[in-house]
Amino acid sequence: MKDQTYRNTKQRKRILEVLSMTDIHPTASWVYDQLKPEFPSLSLGTVYRNLAILEEQGLLIKLHSGSTFDRYDAMVSPHAHFVCKVCGGLFDIKDMELGELKHSAEIKTRHHIEDVKLTYTGVCDDCLNKEMKD
């Protein structure tokens, strides 16, 4: 892929700001809903295009959580995720040393690993507590 230079737009800047202010790993539709009052002519297609550009620039991560829609994360430092199979919640798991996992896998396989994506699945604490009350 060739290097592409994009001009900075107000919409793209605000999309990144909105993503940076939340840890819910929103969908493009959620981002659109947040910014539509500020940018009345904004289209969902524009949001998707800008999310793709921000991902290409390494400023966000697109997450495939197993649901119908991709979700987005502005925390680009290596970290794991947890997906609740009951409510569909997607949570960050910080402070795990993914670099050590990568290094260990490289030694065992002799492959050069460029990226690690670790996703745990199970039942979140809120859903577990709801089940215990029922």
Side-chain angles (χ1 to χ4, degrees):
M1 181 181 272
K2 67 178 187 176
D3 282 342
Q4 186 149 5
T5 304
Y6 298 100
R7 63 185 181 88
N8 284 329
T9 66
K10 289 179 187 176
Q11 292 173 342
R12 191 172 313 125
K13 181 180 177 190
R14 286 293 292 134
I15 288 169
L16 187 58
E17 287 172 357
V18 166
L19 284 170
S20 297
M21 293 185 300
T22 184
D23 62 357
I24 65 167
H25 305 88
T27 63
S29 181
W30 184 92
V31 173
Y32 169 79
D33 290 341
Q34 300 304 301
L35 294 176
K36 184 66 174 171
E38 186 177 341
F39 299 100
S41 64
L42 182 69
S43 72
L44 187 55
T46 298
V47 171
Y48 274 109
R49 278 190 299 282
N50 280 291
L51 289 168
I53 290 168
L54 291 166
E55 180 187 15
E56 182 181 315
Q57 293 175 326
L59 298 173
L60 64 79
I61 300 168
K62 184 193 311 187
L63 302 167
H64 311 283
S65 64
S67 69
T68 307
F69 301 101
D70 292 326
R71 298 175 65 182
Y72 297 88
D73 191 352
M75 186 190 327
V76 295
S77 60
H79 64 283
H81 290 96
F82 176 86
V83 178
C84 178
K85 63 183 184 177
V86 175
C87 70
L90 180 60
F91 307 91
D92 290 321
I93 300 179
K94 302 172 188 166
D95 301 326
M96 288 191 61
E97 191 48 59
L98 294 183
E100 288 179 19
L101 282 173
K102 176 181 167 284
H103 182 69
S104 177
E106 284 180 328
I107 289 172
K108 288 180 182 181
T109 65
R110 296 191 312 229
H111 301 313
H112 171 73
I113 299 171
E114 295 180 356
D115 192 20
V116 177
K117 292 181 181 2
L118 180 60
T119 304
Y120 294 93
T121 57
V123 181
C124 73
D125 187 53
D126 286 344
C127 290
L128 283 173
N129 288 330
K130 286 177 189 171
E131 286 179 8
M132 292 173 72
K133 290 179 182 177
D134 292 341

